[in-house]
Amino acid sequence: MPATRDIKRRIRSVRSTKKITRAMELVAAAKMRKAVTKVLATRTYSDLAWGTVLHLAKKLNAEHHLFFQEPKKVKKVGIILVSTNRGLCGSFNTQLVNKVVQSINIHHPEKVETEIITMGLKGRLESRRRKLNIVADFPKDDITTSSEKISSSAHLVVQNFLAKKYDKVFIAYTDFVSSLRQAPHVMQLLPIVPTIDERLAHTVHEKKEDINDINVDSFSDFIFEPDMKQILDAFLPRLVEIQIYQAVLESEASEHSARMFAMRNASDAASDMIESLTLAYNQARQASITAEIAEIAAGSAALN
Amino acid sequence: MKPILLKIVTPERILFEDKVNQVSVSTALGQITILPNHIPLVSALKPGEIIVRQEGKDEDLMSVSGGFIEVLADQVVILADTAERAQEIDEQRAEEAIKRAQELMVSRVVDAEQFAYFSAQLEKELARLHVVRKYKKSHRHVPEDFGK
């Protein structure tokens, strides 16, 4: 029966697709667990480093270091775009690039030149499709293991900022709020604005932490060893590096959760499809049996 | 005296978080010991040891490869690049790493940047070895395979 055979073939193909998506879901779940433990471990460090900067910024004037100085006129902006290497993670990268385009429109509506530095293949392709100005691309590992891996990109933006090539540097990444929710986010890296960004998941979670509540005003000035300039020169670039590292880890945790859910949705959709196809198959089979019986009955009736 | 809240963190983990009586670290200008009510201080760390003293406990020994320390009245934060407890360091592997770093410095140095990288590596390994030897010395009576 041609009809039933076609349906049967469809069912078989959907079933094997489901097997694949199911396997990918499990792989993504395992990777997500790994990425989430890493991102949580690093949050303490980056929060404490950020806390130190907040304390320092309260005590120092902005003119003490170039990194604190708000440019008078913003002419050129650099954006680091942290995306994924692989697809099949829903609208993850599209949303992120949307957010970047949005922030370009909001932050500098007057013609400000924006340069994009991409990390990850999919973000690069998407940005190119949107005709954004890509100037550099750094390869991204699927699981970033240490902060040394991103030091080259950190070095690039810091150098460009110090050379006054960029007046502001942003980083666009997907913040990991929970395994169910990831929020694309554009954060200012340079110059350093010493305020707590409430929108970020981890600062909201850990706001109770005593670190930000310490009232520095009551203290005498900081002592710097060997001296302030050397400390700031060493510490602030390191902070930028840590922030990029943290963003990359957040993005990885988000990527794997997004992929896990995309794959779970695909598996569920495949199940639904198999169900309705099976129903159609059974109906077709039943119809053909009925037709056959009717034919036999008609045949025997004709003989009599 | 009111104890200090000490936090030692690396990008990978929280190594130490507890109330302590005093902590010694080696900064760019030499070794310093921080007691409660120290005035606010920010300094860079050199590869070396961290010694933590707590009430009623043996002193804790850790190696650090560099980083920063921030001191506020009763809170000390050490942002280390990498750090390990003495118990975790494998003496033999530290020795091998030193040998490797020394060889690389002689054979493969191409530019100043690489030289700086290798010598930082070497300094870090020397600090680790120093810490683990010191730890073993003070724990002679403990059998080698203790806790394994």
Side-chain angles (χ1 to χ4, degrees), chain A residues 110-151:
Chain A
E110 75 277 15
K111 272 281 185 201
V112 175
E113 210 179 326
T114 310
E115 292 194 341
I116 308 271
I117 297 155
T118 56
M119 293 172 86
L121 175 71
K122 291 287 164 183
R124 192 179 77 210
L125 296 178
E126 182 71 22
S127 319
R128 180 162 299 158
R129 209 170 58 74
R130 302 284 190 90
K131 303 198 166 48
L132 299 178
N133 180 18
I134 305 172
V135 288
D137 177 55
F138 287 94
K140 184 177 163 303
D141 296 345
D142 279 343
I143 298 261
T144 309
T145 43
S146 79
S147 54
E148 281 159 32
K149 295 263 166 55
I150 53 92
S151 59

Side-chain angles (χ1 to χ4, degrees), chain A residues 216-227:
Chain A
V216 210
D217 301 333
S218 59
F219 297 152
S220 56
D221 281 347
F222 278 99
I223 307 177
F224 291 92
E225 276 176 16
D227 61 60

Side-chain angles (χ1 to χ4, degrees), chain A residues 1-46:
Chain A
M1 258 111 317
T4 51
R5 203 167 55 211
D6 281 349
I7 298 177
K8 213 165 184 182
R9 199 177 288 150
R10 273 298 292 289
I11 293 178
R12 213 180 300 136
S13 107
V14 172
R15 197 168 278 151
S16 68
T17 308
K18 186 185 163 190
K19 269 186 197 155
I20 295 170
T21 57
R22 177 95 189 109
M24 285 172 84
E25 180 191 332
L26 293 177
V27 170
K31 281 190 178 166
M32 180 188 96
R33 262 196 299 280
K34 232 188 263 173
V36 168
T37 20
K38 284 204 72 177
V39 77
L40 294 182
T42 310
R43 272 182 188 174
T44 320
Y45 183 89
S46 66

Side-chain angles (χ1 to χ4, degrees), chain A residues 286-299:
Chain A
Q286 195 67 54
S288 74
I289 291 170
T290 314
E292 238 170 89
I293 290 175
E295 269 165 36
I296 293 168

Side-chain angles (χ1 to χ4, degrees), chain A residues 7-293:
Chain A
I7 298 177
K8 213 165 184 182
R9 199 177 288 150
R10 273 298 292 289
I11 293 178
R12 213 180 300 136
S13 107
V14 172
R15 197 168 278 151
S16 68
T17 308
K18 186 185 163 190
K19 269 186 197 155
I20 295 170
T21 57
R22 177 95 189 109
M24 285 172 84
E25 180 191 332
L26 293 177
V27 170
K31 281 190 178 166
M32 180 188 96
R33 262 196 299 280
K34 232 188 263 173
V36 168
T37 20
K38 284 204 72 177
V39 77
L40 294 182
T42 310
R43 272 182 188 174
T44 320
Y45 183 89
S46 66
D47 281 355
L48 286 171
W50 189 240
T52 304
V53 169
L54 291 182
H55 297 155
L56 288 177
K58 276 185 198 155
K59 278 285 165 199
L60 300 174
N61 293 325
E63 62 263 27
H64 278 313
H65 205 277
L66 205 58
F67 279 9
F68 288 124
Q69 282 167 21
E70 197 71 24
K72 286 181 198 74
K73 200 159 167 263
V74 182
K75 277 193 291 264
K76 203 164 188 184
V77 172
I79 299 182
I80 303 179
L81 177 67
V82 185
S83 64
T84 69
N85 281 331
R86 289 160 205 260
L88 294 178
C89 43
S91 58
F92 188 89
N93 291 310
T94 321
Q95 274 185 18
L96 186 64
V97 177
N98 276 343
K99 191 86 188 176
V100 171
V101 173
Q102 236 177 54
S103 105
I104 292 176
N105 293 338
I106 292 172
H107 282 291
H108 15 87
E110 75 277 15
K111 272 281 185 201
V112 175
E113 210 179 326
T114 310
E115 292 194 341
I116 308 271
I117 297 155
T118 56
M119 293 172 86
L121 175 71
K122 291 287 164 183
R124 192 179 77 210
L125 296 178
E126 182 71 22
S127 319
R128 180 162 299 158
R129 209 170 58 74
R130 302 284 190 90
K131 303 198 166 48
L132 299 178
N133 180 18
I134 305 172
V135 288
D137 177 55
F138 287 94
K140 184 177 163 303
D141 296 345
D142 279 343
I143 298 261
T144 309
T145 43
S146 79
S147 54
E148 281 159 32
K149 295 263 166 55
I150 53 92
S151 59
S152 50
S153 50
H155 190 72
L156 176 80
V157 291
V158 166
Q159 288 309 317
N160 280 343
F161 181 76
L162 287 178
K164 308 236 177 206
K165 208 182 143 209
Y166 294 152
D167 300 303
K168 276 189 179 184
V169 178
F170 292 88
I171 185 161
Y173 68 103
T174 309
D175 196 40
F176 180 76
V177 185
S178 71
S179 50
L180 290 171
R181 209 165 82 78
Q182 299 91 33
H185 186 72
V186 180
M187 179 176 78
Q188 182 166 334
L189 274 182
L190 288 168
I192 295 165
V193 185
T195 49
I196 303 164
D197 197 334
E198 303 274 339
R199 283 170 303 169
L200 294 184
H202 49 111
T203 40
V204 175
H205 285 169
E206 287 151 30
K207 229 171 63 184
K208 287 180 245 78
E209 279 262 327
D210 45 344
I211 180 82
N212 296 320
D213 295 340
I214 291 179
N215 186 10
V216 210
D217 301 333
S218 59
F219 297 152
S220 56
D221 281 347
F222 278 99
I223 307 177
F224 291 92
E225 276 176 16
D227 61 60
M228 185 172 73
K229 196 176 171 318
Q230 277 188 39
I231 292 288
L232 290 181
D233 278 351
F235 184 67
L236 296 179
R238 176 81 182 141
L239 180 84
V240 173
E241 202 176 293
I242 287 301
Q243 279 187 306
I244 297 178
Y245 181 52
Q246 175 75 24
V248 169
L249 292 184
E250 298 273 353
S251 164
E252 272 165 15
S254 305
E255 173 192 346
H256 294 303
S257 343
R259 180 164 301 129
M260 192 182 87
F261 278 95
M263 287 301 114
R264 179 170 295 171
N265 286 340
S267 302
D268 289 350
S271 297
D272 290 348
M273 203 159 169
I274 290 172
E275 210 167 282
S276 63
L277 281 174
T278 311
L279 188 66
Y281 170 74
N282 285 339
Q283 275 169 350
R285 190 179 60 109
Q286 195 67 54
S288 74
I289 291 170
T290 314
E292 238 170 89
I293 290 175

